[in-house]
Amino acid sequence: MTKDNFNVLFLCTGNSARSIMAEAIMNREGMGKFRAFSAGSRPGPTPHPYTIDLLQGLNHDTSIARSKSWDEFASPDAPQMDFVFTVCDNAAAEECPFWPGQPMTAHWGMPDPAGVEGPEAVKRLAFSETYRMLRSRISIFVSLPLGSLDRMALQHNLDEIGNSAANAD
């Protein structure tokens, strides 16, 4: 891939936690080389309040954080995506959206912190752990030598990022 800037879409079901976090992380870690977006197949009305609290506490810009449908990015006037990552959790039998077209895709599934039950401290810890896992994966992704990888090698790397136990621990 020999582009200077890449559009990345993070998809999930509700677009309230994981995909919103990934969008914020990528927009910071990507340092202008990557422009991130997030969406959901069945978005809720707003991002989860713990998502916003966590991102603000880590000095992320949350002014554009909103839950939105993936239909917004399927329209003809939407930015063309170079990469689409699903971050929903197949192990929890959660419906994962599918993105048609030609972008590079990978599944980087992880549990939904919004579904964690228990005391507030346990819930907030789940959001922090999700952030940590996403930041690890995104940091690895943005450091890939995109200009020297062919599509097959790049796809292998994207899949490995999502499958690596080191990224989940």
Side-chain angles (χ1 to χ4, degrees):
M1 301 191 85
T2 57
K3 292 176 65 172
D4 291 330
N5 297 7
F6 300 94
N7 288 330
V8 181
L9 178 61
F10 291 95
L11 291 177
C12 205
T13 307
N15 191 221
S16 70
R18 295 163 289 188
S19 52
I20 298 261
M21 285 183 210
E23 177 182 19
I25 296 165
M26 178 64 81
N27 281 329
R28 178 186 286 171
E29 297 285 322
M31 298 181 284
K33 184 175 180 180
F34 298 92
R35 183 172 175 214
F37 305 90
S38 68
S41 56
R42 292 190 318 265
T46 61
H48 195 287
Y50 290 0
T51 301
I52 300 302
D53 287 352
L54 176 67
L55 292 174
Q56 286 175 341
L58 295 169
N59 296 317
H60 284 278
D61 178 11
T62 59
S63 64
I64 61 167
R66 64 183 177 85
S67 294
K68 53 206 158 295
S69 172
W70 64 350
D71 293 338
E72 189 172 314
F73 297 97
S75 69
D77 58 335
Q80 181 175 346
M81 295 302 150
D82 299 295
F83 298 94
V84 176
F85 301 119
T86 53
V87 292
C88 46
D89 185 11
N90 280 344
E94 183 179 7
E95 177 186 325
C96 222
F98 167 76
W99 192 259
Q102 298 301 312
M104 300 290 299
T105 62
H107 179 66
W108 291 357
M110 60 189 59
D112 184 2
V116 170
E117 308 237 345
E120 182 177 355
V122 170
K123 293 176 184 178
R124 289 193 182 271
L125 178 61
F127 278 80
S128 294
E129 282 298 299
T130 299
Y131 179 93
R132 184 191 59 75
M133 287 186 284
L134 285 165
R135 184 161 184 254
S136 174
R137 291 174 183 190
I138 290 167
S139 294
I140 294 167
F141 170 68
V142 300
S143 69
L144 290 174
L146 298 180
S148 64
L149 293 173
D150 63 29
R151 276 186 80 85
M152 192 172 198
L154 180 55
Q155 186 65 59
H156 175 75
N157 278 277
L158 298 179
D159 293 339
E160 284 298 309
I161 291 170
N163 290 331
S164 174
N167 294 318
D169 291 336

